[in-house]
Amino acid sequence: MKKEMVAGIGVVMLMGGTVGTTSVSAQAAEQAAHPNTEAKPANPQAGKRLEFLNQYAYQFHQLNALRSERLELKEQIVDKRDHLVDLIIAAKKIGNKTLLKQAKGVKRQLKTLNAELKALSTEAHNEKQVLKEAVKNHTGIETEQFNKLLSTNRKINEKLKEKDIEIDRMIDILN
């Protein structure tokens, strides 16, 4: 019984390979017979999407560069905050309240920066949604929306740089 099943599976696999090869060969033969015809996309929307991507490629590259910079800044901030935790624990162990009071002012500044970052992130999210709708409906304001989104992302990166500087200040205080 087992031998018959293995043989049956082998036959099915061989037939599948020959059928697949035949269909590929038929497509190649058809293209060879008509070399001047271009391959048309199966989805007519694909051409419009490709045209859109081509038109706004520079803006997409800028958005991706800003996103990459933002992720690098966030990584630096996480590393510094990890170091900051060790410094705070050490300051509390030795009971140095003056350093902790000095660091409290920087902590307040970080809190306001975090609130500003949250507002900017919400704004960027909303602008991205408006851009998607503008692209979907072809309203003609895509360039304007891209510029708004780029501007907001630049503001976010600037706030992250400020946050990085404030964390450095706090580290200097606690050292």
Side-chain angles (χ1 to χ4, degrees):
M1 181 73 175
K2 289 182 183 179
K3 291 180 183 178
E4 292 171 359
M5 285 181 49
V6 171
I9 291 173
V11 168
V12 169
M13 288 176 57
L14 286 174
M15 290 184 69
T18 57
V19 169
T21 307
T22 308
S23 65
V24 170
S25 299
Q27 288 175 353
E30 185 179 327
Q31 279 196 341
H34 305 288
N36 293 335
T37 59
E38 294 181 16
K40 294 180 182 176
N43 184 357
Q45 293 293 328
K48 291 179 183 178
R49 278 187 243 133
L50 182 62
E51 182 181 319
F52 174 78
L53 287 173
N54 189 27
Q55 182 180 1
Y56 294 105
Y58 181 72
Q59 285 89 345
F60 281 118
H61 291 307
Q62 285 181 320
L63 282 172
N64 289 336
L66 288 170
R67 184 180 301 139
S68 176
E69 180 184 353
R70 182 170 53 250
L71 291 174
E72 288 172 9
L73 287 167
K74 284 183 176 183
E75 184 179 359
Q76 290 174 4
I77 289 170
V78 167
D79 291 341
K80 289 179 182 180
R81 288 186 70 188
D82 187 46
H83 180 63
L84 193 58
V85 168
D86 295 335
L87 292 174
I88 291 172
I89 290 171
K92 286 185 178 185
K93 276 186 181 179
I94 62 173
N96 197 342
K97 293 187 179 193
T98 57
L99 288 178
L100 293 172
K101 283 184 180 182
Q102 289 175 352
K104 202 175 237 185
V106 177
K107 189 174 181 181
R108 276 190 226 113
Q109 182 65 26
L110 284 171
K111 191 172 182 177
T112 59
L113 282 173
N114 285 335
E116 292 170 2
L117 274 169
K118 186 173 183 176
L120 284 171
S121 294
T122 303
E123 183 180 337
H125 177 74
N126 292 338
E127 288 172 0
K128 190 174 181 181
Q129 296 303 320
V130 171
L131 176 64
K132 282 183 180 181
E133 284 299 316
V135 168
K136 184 178 176 182
N137 299 328
H138 302 292
T139 59
I141 61 167
E142 293 90 355
T143 304
E144 180 183 326
Q145 284 305 121
F146 264 117
N147 291 336
K148 284 182 181 179
L149 186 59
L150 286 168
S151 174
T152 304
N153 281 331
R154 284 186 191 105
K155 288 177 188 175
I156 289 172
N157 286 358
E158 290 301 317
K159 290 295 177 186
L160 284 172
K161 288 176 186 174
E162 288 178 31
K163 184 176 179 177
D164 190 38
I165 291 169
E166 291 299 319
I167 290 175
D168 283 339
R169 257 186 54 204
M170 189 178 250
I171 288 172
D172 290 341
I173 290 171
L174 292 173
N175 266 337

